[in-house]
Amino acid sequence: NRGADAGTKDKAGRSACHYAASHGHTAVLEFLATKGVDLDADDVIGRSPMHYAAAGAATSGQGPNAWEAAVHA
């Protein structure tokens, strides 16, 4: 750890969880969960990483597996 905050958000209120969920990066979500990052944090328009996972799954055909894996890690 070099002092980075895994829960840091961008100007739109999205954290690494939002981006990882939207692209189906299960391992990243699991890692962030172990660091205590809030997997349910909303962005500035009220969307959680779960919303991004669902939207990513809808466009990629992957299904909601990334979110499920992270929540049950």
Side-chain angles (χ1 to χ4, degrees):
N1 180 349
R2 295 183 182 207
D5 180 358
T8 299
K9 295 182 176 187
D10 64 14
K11 291 179 183 179
R14 293 178 297 241
S15 69
C17 284
H18 290 86
Y19 291 101
S22 69
H23 295 288
H25 296 302
T26 308
V28 174
L29 288 167
E30 291 173 357
F31 172 77
L32 293 170
T34 67
K35 297 299 178 187
V37 175
D38 184 2
L39 298 178
D40 294 319
D42 290 340
D43 63 13
V44 296
I45 59 173
R47 292 184 181 158
S48 71
M50 186 172 176
H51 289 103
Y52 284 84
T59 59
S60 71
Q62 292 179 354
N65 296 335
W67 182 257
E68 287 295 318
V71 171
H72 300 296

